[in-house]
Amino acid sequence: MTWVRRHRLLVFFVLAYAISWAPWPGYAMRWTPAPAFLPVGPLLAALGVIAVTDGRAGFRALGRRLLRWRVRWYWYAVALLLPVAMVVVTALINAALGASVPGLGELAWSQFLLVLGLRLVNPLDSALGEELGFRGWALPVLQSRHSPVVSALVLGVLAAGWHIPLVVYGWLGPVGLPSTVVITFLYVWLFNRTGGSLLFPVIFHASQGAFTFGSVSSTAADLERAGWIYAGVLVVVVLAVLVLDRRAWRSAPPSAREPQPSRPPAVR
């Protein structure tokens, strides 16, 4: 247990990868008929590490982050609507380049709301499966050691690597990996600006997954081009956040950090 406490970030990421990637070898060896990926890996990894290192106090801290909802109203709008706005901008640029896309009035907004609601409450979905682990547990630990910028970069690279099976399966284009690194900066910014509230990254992730650029692309070629356009939109948005809100990147608020676990006293 002492070793786990000292290397808890390493243990967390190894477990998150191992759990989520567990079906991959079976599919590669043709033992299973269809590919599978378990988005719940980061959540289960975080719960396992918390049980060993922090116990009830750790579970209470994670629960408090998830239930921290008393923030200014506009952060709800940012979490819910920024992913939608980025998709709409992507669709408009794609249409200007010749893609056939539906008008906004033709989009299934009721379906978007239904999918959004399901993603917010389903622990097996990526919104809760990823966020409770990556942003709810790993990010505060990283920010107790590093600046928000370094923490976002480290977490973004590791979260992107976690998505590799999706690229192998063809469920995610190669541009999805660098996009994951870039969008992590938005998750970190939202988490820190809401005082370490995990609720807002969850809402952001659920909205992002419920309304993707795939919803406004008609053909495979349009969809592929939309992926690259979306990546460019992400870069512009993240650069704007980095430049216009530099104060947010100097240091994380205390409520968005977690102190290093105390070491046991030396035996004399």
Side-chain angles (χ1 to χ4, degrees):
M1 289 188 180
T2 301
W3 187 90
V4 174
R5 290 190 182 96
R6 291 178 178 175
H7 303 88
R8 54 185 182 159
L9 273 173
L10 173 63
V11 173
F12 164 76
F13 283 108
V14 169
L15 285 176
Y17 273 63
I19 295 170
S20 295
W21 290 21
W24 191 4
Y27 177 71
M29 299 297 292
R30 300 187 184 279
W31 295 339
T32 56
F37 184 79
L38 303 178
V40 75
L43 170 58
L44 295 181
L47 295 179
V49 173
I50 290 172
V52 172
T53 60
D54 300 312
R56 293 181 180 178
F59 291 122
R60 285 195 296 267
L62 183 63
R64 284 195 298 269
R65 293 189 190 107
L66 182 59
L67 299 176
R68 186 170 293 153
W69 61 273
R70 292 186 176 181
V71 302
R72 296 180 184 270
W73 66 269
Y74 49 77
W75 291 113
Y76 284 93
V78 171
L80 182 62
L81 299 179
L82 180 57
V84 175
M86 290 190 295
V87 170
V88 171
V89 171
T90 297
L92 293 175
I93 296 174
N94 208 14
L97 294 176
S100 174
V101 297
L104 294 181
E106 301 172 31
L107 298 177
W109 295 105
S110 59
Q111 182 180 358
F112 162 69
L113 294 175
L114 175 61
V115 175
L116 175 67
L118 291 175
R119 289 174 63 90
L120 287 173
V121 299
N122 182 8
L124 300 180
D125 186 77
S126 56
L128 288 176
E130 286 188 54
E131 297 312 314
L132 269 70
F134 288 148
R135 256 65 69 173
W137 186 84
L139 180 57
V141 177
L142 281 168
Q143 292 192 140
S144 68
R145 307 175 184 182
H146 308 289
S147 69
V149 172
V150 173
S151 299
L153 182 59
V154 171
L155 186 58
V157 170
L158 291 171
W162 177 79
H163 286 83
I164 287 176
L166 303 184
V167 176
V168 175
Y169 294 156
W171 298 347
L172 184 68
V175 71
L177 298 184
S179 294
T180 298
V181 177
V182 175
I183 203 170
T184 298
F185 283 81
L186 292 182
Y187 283 114
V188 171
W189 173 69
L190 192 58
F191 181 78
N192 288 342
R193 272 305 190 188
T194 56
S197 173
L198 180 56
L199 176 62
F200 293 86
V202 169
I203 294 174
F204 186 98
H205 197 139
S207 179
Q208 178 199 0
F211 191 72
T212 69
F213 53 81
S215 305
V216 290
S217 299
S218 302
T219 68
D222 292 342
L223 181 60
E224 182 179 0
R225 182 171 53 211
W228 290 100
I229 296 171
Y230 185 75
V233 171
L234 271 177
V235 170
V236 172
V237 172
V238 168
L239 287 176
V241 168
L242 288 169
V243 172
L244 299 178
D245 196 9
R246 283 176 290 183
R247 181 180 178 185
W249 300 98
R250 293 172 185 166
S251 64
S255 55
R257 289 178 285 169
E258 188 170 86
Q260 294 275 5
S262 58
R263 295 186 177 184
V267 178
R268 297 182 178 180

